[in-house]
Amino acid sequence: MNNKHWWFTGGMLTGILVITILCIAALTGGLTTYFLLGGQMANDGQTTATIYADQGWQSTGVRVMPGMKISIEVTNGEWTYWSGFQPYNSGEGGNYICAVAMPATRCVEPLSNFPTGSLIGKIGSQTFGIGKDSTLAVEQLGTLWLRINDGDVGLYDNAGELVIDISVQR
């Protein structure tokens, strides 16, 4: 066999292997999920994260894709968005909702129509309220990020942390 035949045969075998892998991925969804999520599989199961009141967006490390269902629940801890002036809460926040008091464009909270001091989350560009617990259908591919609903300029006077259980189902 000459060199042209070796290259042709090797190329054919490589092509067949790639097509086989793609077919398996399409049928099982496993490899597709693997590649879409940057090499980390989003497995069914539960994860625990601690989220601090004096920090902005904090990654939970939980990567999800559209169609998954995610349940988020505060299991321990308390925090406040104004230490010494506002009571501690377990993720439900206080009575103040900025967008009710003024135009939302003037609010500094990431989610101006949700109570200040509450637990909020985001996946991709979608930001949503959680409170003490929430279950939602995932709309975007990405990592789950959590934080207190308070403006970045106001994090310095926050205190406490929440322990969060996160469950993902396909």
Side-chain angles (χ1 to χ4, degrees):
M1 237 188 238
N2 62 31
N3 282 340
K4 286 184 182 179
H5 276 173
W6 280 109
W7 281 103
F8 178 76
T9 304
M12 289 294 292
L13 291 175
T14 302
I16 291 170
L17 179 62
V18 168
I19 290 171
T20 303
I21 290 171
L22 291 175
C23 288
I24 292 169
L27 293 173
T28 65
L31 287 176
T32 304
T33 301
Y34 180 83
F35 289 120
L36 286 175
L37 295 180
Q40 291 182 347
M41 295 294 280
N43 293 323
D44 296 346
Q46 191 164 347
T47 301
T48 300
T50 301
I51 307 300
Y52 301 92
D54 61 354
Q55 296 179 25
W57 290 110
Q58 298 159 65
S59 174
T60 63
V62 175
R63 296 181 57 89
V64 294
M65 58 189 294
M68 291 181 163
K69 189 177 184 181
I70 191 164
S71 296
I72 305 161
E73 179 184 8
V74 176
T75 58
N76 199 2
E78 289 187 323
W79 64 17
T80 180
Y81 67 94
W82 195 2
S83 186
F85 295 94
Q86 289 295 318
Y88 281 74
N89 70 78
S90 299
E92 64 276 6
N95 294 325
Y96 181 72
I97 299 175
C98 185
V100 172
M102 65 181 72
T105 55
R106 293 183 49 208
C107 298
V108 297
E109 294 83 358
L111 202 54
S112 60
N113 61 346
F114 208 66
T116 300
S118 60
L119 177 66
I120 61 172
K122 78 173 179 176
I123 300 169
S125 62
Q126 178 192 8
T127 304
F128 46 89
I130 299 167
K132 191 158 171 56
D133 61 76
S134 184
T135 299
L136 61 125
V138 175
E139 296 176 10
Q140 296 184 9
L141 175 74
T143 300
L144 172 65
W145 295 77
L146 300 175
R147 71 172 287 164
I148 192 170
N149 192 28
D150 193 11
D152 287 339
V153 297
L155 295 175
Y156 72 93
D157 61 2
N158 296 356
E161 72 258 348
L162 300 178
V163 177
I164 316 292
D165 279 352
I166 303 158
S167 299
V168 178
Q169 302 92 34
R170 290 181 194 223

